[in-house]
């Protein structure tokens, strides 16, 4: 599984930012969000500490500019598509509570990042 995560991170690094004029790219989002995937697809019963700390970093990144939340949303959506990872809705809803964090960016089963 870690090899898959490494490959995806490299892929995002190669293709660069799909998010336009932000000061970060999808590889940074992937680095911080990937530790959450095992929880979101029900491979782990609780999110890893790295997941929660990564979400805190993403919250700070979302505040960089007004497009931050949309950019992060799009990167997470692209990551889910690339990994073919079906996030479980109840896990997405509980992630905020489990990590004791309020998201500054949207995350859901049917993320519509263009409406942000």
């Amino acid at each position: 599984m870690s090899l898959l995560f490494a490959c995806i991170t490299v892929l995002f690094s190669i293709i660069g930012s799909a998010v336009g004029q932000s000061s970060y790219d999808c590889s940074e989002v992937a680095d911080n969000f990937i530790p959450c995937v095992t929880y979101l697809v029900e491979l782990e019963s609780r999110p890893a500490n790295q997941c929660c700390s990564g979400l805190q970093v993403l919250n700070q990144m979302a505040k960089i500019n007004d497009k931050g939340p949309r950019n992060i949303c799009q990167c997470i959506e692209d990551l889910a598509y690339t990994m073919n990872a079906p996030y479980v809705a109840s896990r997405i809803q509980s992630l905020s509570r489990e990590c004791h964090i309020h998201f500054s960016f949207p995350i859901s089963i049917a993320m519509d990042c263009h409406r942000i």
Side-chain angles (χ1 to χ4, degrees), residues 6-89:
C7 291
I8 290 168
T9 301
V10 169
L11 173 67
F12 277 127
S13 296
I14 292 170
I15 63 173
S17 175
V19 295
Q21 304 216 357
S22 67
S23 59
Y24 58 91
D25 62 33
C26 285
S27 65
E28 289 179 81
V29 174
D31 287 345
N32 287 290
F33 190 75
I34 282 176
C36 298
V37 172
T38 55
Y39 174 74
L40 294 174
V41 299
E42 295 188 312
L43 293 177
E44 298 288 337
S45 61
R46 296 184 50 92
N49 290 338
Q50 297 90 341
C51 167
C52 296
S53 61
L55 292 174
Q56 290 175 344
V57 171
L58 292 177
N59 264 347
Q60 292 304 310
M61 290 170 64
K63 296 173 185 175
I64 290 174
N65 63 45
D66 61 339
K67 293 182 182 180
R70 181 178 184 177
N71 295 343
I72 291 170
C73 176
Q74 188 63 57
C75 290
I76 291 172
E77 185 177 322
D78 293 347
L79 181 65
Y81 178 78
T82 302
M83 293 178 65
N84 193 24
Y87 301 153
V88 176

Side-chain angles (χ1 to χ4, degrees), residues 75-109:
C75 290
I76 291 172
E77 185 177 322
D78 293 347
L79 181 65
Y81 178 78
T82 302
M83 293 178 65
N84 193 24
Y87 301 153
V88 176
S90 62
R91 290 295 180 97
I92 292 171
Q93 293 169 351
S94 67
L95 192 57
S96 176
R97 182 181 69 252
E98 291 285 337
C99 289
H100 309 285
I101 190 170
H102 174 75
F103 294 121
S104 299
F105 55 92
I107 176 173
S108 69
I109 276 290

